[in-house]
Amino acid sequence: MVLGNLLLFIVGIFSYASGAFVGINLGTDVSNMPSAPDVVSILKANLITHLRLYDADAHMLKALADSGIEVMVGVTNEEVLGIGESPSKAAAWINQNVAAYLPSTNITAIAVGSEVLTSIPNLVPVLVPAMNYLHKALVASNLNFRVKISTPQAMDIIPRPFPPSTATFNSSWSATVYQILQFLENTDSYYMLNAYPYFGYTSGNGIFPLDYALFRSLPSVNQIVDPNTLSHYDSMFDALVDATYYSIEALNMSGISIVVTETGWPWLGGANEPDATAENAETFNSNLIRRVLNDSGPPSQPKVPINTYIYELFNEDKRPGPVSEKNWGLFFTNGSAVYTFSLSTSNQITGNNSDFCVAKPSADPGKLQAGLDWACGQGGANCDAIQEGKPCYLPSTYQNHASYAYNDYYQKKRSVGATCDFDGTAATTTVDPSTFIYYFPVISLIYLVSLSAFLQMTLN
Ligand SMILES: *[C@@H]1O[C@H](CO)[C@@H](O)[C@H](O)[C@H]1NC(C)=O
Ligand SMILES: *[C@@H]1O[C@H](CO)[C@@H](O)[C@H](O)[C@H]1NC(C)=O
Ligand SMILES: *[C@@H]1O[C@H](CO)[C@@H](O)[C@H](O)[C@H]1NC(C)=O
Ligand SMILES: *[C@@H]1O[C@H](CO)[C@@H](O)[C@H](O)[C@H]1NC(C)=O
Ligand SMILES: *[C@@H]1O[C@H](CO)[C@@H](O)[C@H](O)[C@H]1NC(C)=O
Ligand SMILES: *[C@@H]1O[C@H](CO)[C@@H](O)[C@H](O)[C@H]1NC(C)=O
């Protein structure tokens, strides 16, 4: 069981073979932005499978061709007005920024504007028309089944998200939100939500414990329970997503799933931002990844995974505002990780920052087979555990088996000059796959601690 999960994990921290994914946002207010091919190399080296752009940058879209990475492009707020007033502008936008790159660049979604309702209320009247015109242009190009259109909204349009079951959209916006939801339902698209426990926590003035924002378990006496549904909320993230599901339901709409287009935690802040620390950011993002990849939904929609894009790839040092605003990045522009994040917060158990060698998700299966054979043969990797019937056999794919063999070879031989290449099918990642082994013991420990706290309480 534990080893099976380890193997699954090796597939890539950002995606399971099927099920939920964790992608990343690429903000561009960065002074030393690497070239587009370098950005793509950083994404691939870290096995990132889903990328959101805030625009439709031609260099990025070209560099992403044949990368195996799924791409969400953005219509900027500046572009929304023109498109919302002109079907021909919408058609030109689709031709130039989407149709021109498909299928080699796998564009799967268009985010129309960014938090339009709360940030540019003037644009509200043209938002849904813009979405409609873009959709018609996709239909005309026969791309509407490949590419979904939606519009990311801030959590602020739901004034009272707790308890989730009674949350509703701010009535000033509900007519527009209703039109958006109808559009999403008619086009089989999804709701795009920007949900930041960081802001929920920092603006809550101590109402919510930090552990709740960071996905750490709470003592049983402090469990967060919705009094109407009696659902437990293990994290603020789940509560924010569920508040949105309940708000949609309050408009008598259903069957629209939510994708979190932004969440994250800043790792550096100013003197008055004590919660923006590398330790908190690492905890948040590690636990977020683990949370999303467990494939479950929030309490009201347990079977709907919460696909999520982390904000963000690089620090946007050119952004205005407080220090924290410039420090949400997971990576420096040279590609090194700002902090080591992992699927477990128990890094110290195993940890150093060495890198690990895994098979790329996009690698050619024939080449993986050759690499696997070589690693287990001449390469001297111990491949017992991936034989049929052994703990790491499942899931039986070249990628999983090759990842196991590549890493075993790399860890044994790197000190004598072994590289992680395997004919271009392998890449190093800074995330320690073995920390995942500690996930289950850590969880049971927390469970035992809360159980004993609970028993003590009951016995007293
Ligand atoms: C593009 O992404 C879609 C959606 O996940 C996937 O089904 C399809 O196989 C991808 N296409 C390519 C060429 O990778
Ligand atoms: C709803 O939105 C309006 C317009 O932005 C704002 O003035 C009002 O304060 C909001 N209501 C609540 C309860 O937040
Ligand atoms: C939703 O449906 C209920 C029951 O039919 C109705 O009472 C309520 O007014 C509807 N709400 C909206 C926003 O349409
Ligand atoms: C997945 O995460 C949710 C929310 O934290 C939790 O309630 C659920 O038990 C987890 N499921 C598994 C299989 O770990
Ligand atoms: C990458 O950049 C960061 C920040 O400037 C720096 O601390 C780090 O040493 C650099 N890493 C490498 C490998 O050059
Ligand atoms: C880091 O990890 C590697 C691989 O597990 C190990 O060989 C090395 O000794 C470790 N280094 C330190 C400083 O702990």
Side-chain angles (χ1 to χ4, degrees):
M1 164 82 182
V2 170
L3 286 172
N5 275 290
L6 169 63
L7 240 207
L8 264 182
F9 164 66
I10 290 177
V11 174
I13 49 162
F14 287 97
S15 73
Y16 270 173
S18 62
F21 66 79
V22 177
I24 201 153
N25 284 279
L26 177 63
T28 54
D29 278 347
V30 177
S31 21
N32 298 311
M33 184 60 116
S35 71
D38 286 349
V39 173
V40 174
S41 301
I42 292 171
L43 297 171
K44 290 173 92 169
N46 291 284
L47 305 179
I48 292 168
T49 55
H50 291 73
L51 175 69
R52 174 181 170 211
L53 303 177
Y54 284 89
D55 51 20
D57 181 77
H59 298 292
M60 278 306 300
L61 290 173
K62 214 172 282 167
L64 284 159
D66 303 318
S67 63
I69 297 170
E70 282 178 38
V71 186
M72 178 185 295
V73 292
V75 172
T76 63
N77 285 346
E78 292 70 34
E79 291 171 315
V80 170
L81 182 61
I83 291 173
E85 287 177 339
S86 157
S88 63
K89 273 200 179 143
W93 198 95
I94 293 294
N95 286 335
Q96 188 186 333
N97 300 308
V98 178
Y101 298 99
L102 275 167
S104 48
T105 300
N106 200 0
I107 299 173
T108 55
I110 303 172
V112 182
S114 176
E115 306 189 346
V116 166
L117 302 199
T118 41
S119 63
I120 328 246
N122 291 344
L123 284 180
V124 169
V126 292
L127 178 60
V128 176
M131 294 167 79
N132 271 316
Y133 293 151
L134 289 164
H135 179 70
K136 290 207 170 89
L138 284 179
V139 172
S141 312
N142 205 17
L143 294 174
N144 52 310
F145 293 107
R146 295 189 76 124
V147 184
K148 298 298 172 196
I149 293 178
S150 186
T151 175
Q153 297 306 333
M155 212 46 228
D156 299 350
I157 61 175
I158 298 172
R160 280 175 298 278
F162 202 84
S165 62
T166 56
T168 56
F169 292 108
N170 179 332
S171 57
S172 310
W173 303 125
S174 53
T176 306
V177 173
Y178 188 73
Q179 288 174 12
I180 293 172
L181 295 173
Q182 278 188 316
F183 172 89
L184 300 178
E185 186 175 52
N186 293 338
T187 59
D188 196 20
S189 185
Y190 44 83
Y191 187 93
M192 291 180 173
L193 171 68
N194 293 352
Y196 286 99
Y198 175 74
F199 294 124
Y201 168 71
T202 52
S203 65
N205 294 320
I207 306 173
F208 295 109
L210 179 62
D211 286 344
Y212 179 58
L214 295 178
F215 300 87
R216 286 196 291 231
S217 65
L218 301 171
S220 48
V221 280
N222 296 340
Q223 293 290 326
I224 309 260
V225 176
D226 184 315
N228 306 310
T229 60
L230 301 184
S231 291
H232 283 249
Y233 285 88
D234 296 340
S235 67
M236 191 188 290
F237 178 79
D238 275 66
L240 296 177
V241 173
D242 235 4
T244 309
Y245 274 118
Y246 280 109
S247 301
I248 293 172
E249 201 178 298
L251 290 177
N252 290 338
M253 304 288 285
S254 62
I256 296 168
S257 59
I258 292 171
V259 168
V260 175
T261 33
E262 288 178 19
T263 191
W265 199 280
W267 62 274
L268 187 67
N272 57 347
E273 300 176 301
D275 302 297
T277 65
E279 195 190 343
N280 286 345
E282 181 204 323
T283 304
F284 179 87
N285 284 316
S286 299
N287 289 343
L288 169 75
I289 292 169
R290 189 172 68 202
R291 163 69 191 92
V292 170
L293 295 190
N294 104 354
D295 256 2
S296 67
S300 85
Q301 308 286 334
K303 297 215 169 93
V304 185
I306 313 175
N307 292 327
T308 296
Y309 292 81
I310 294 181
Y311 185 85
E312 62 185 329
L313 187 64
F314 300 126
N315 295 319
E316 289 187 274
D317 58 316
K318 296 201 297 193
R319 279 184 77 86
V323 177
S324 63
E325 195 57 31
K326 308 169 200 294
N327 290 290
W328 292 77
L330 296 187
F331 296 93
F332 294 114
T333 48
N334 60 15
S336 56
V338 172
Y339 45 83
T340 314
F341 49 95
S342 71
L343 288 180
S344 146
T345 52
S346 57
N347 252 355
Q348 60 278 16
I349 297 174
T350 50
N352 64 35
N353 292 346
S354 42
D355 40 32
F356 300 86
C357 183
V358 295
K360 292 178 185 171
S362 56
D364 172 66
K367 285 187 175 179
L368 285 178
Q369 164 92 75
L372 176 63
D373 290 347
W374 188 89
C376 298
Q378 238 177 316
N382 180 348
C383 295
D384 289 349
I386 49 176
Q387 303 309 310
E388 192 160 0
K390 293 289 165 57
C392 297
Y393 177 68
L394 291 173
S396 175
T397 64
Y398 285 133
Q399 196 197 350
N400 296 336
H401 292 175
S403 287
Y404 185 95
Y406 289 3
N407 194 48
D408 192 71
Y409 162 80
Y410 185 62
Q411 299 307 335
K412 281 182 179 149
K413 304 280 175 73
R414 59 192 300 197
S415 58
V416 293
T419 58
C420 176
D421 182 57
F422 293 96
D423 196 12
T425 63
T428 55
T429 163
T430 50
V431 182
D432 181 352
S434 66
T435 55
F436 196 55
I437 287 181
Y438 293 90
Y439 169 36
F440 291 94
V442 168
I443 292 296
S444 2
L445 185 68
I446 289 166
Y447 175 71
L448 287 177
V449 169
S450 34
L451 185 66
S452 68
F454 176 72
L455 288 177
Q456 252 170 25
M457 229 178 53
T458 329
L459 296 177
N460 285 342

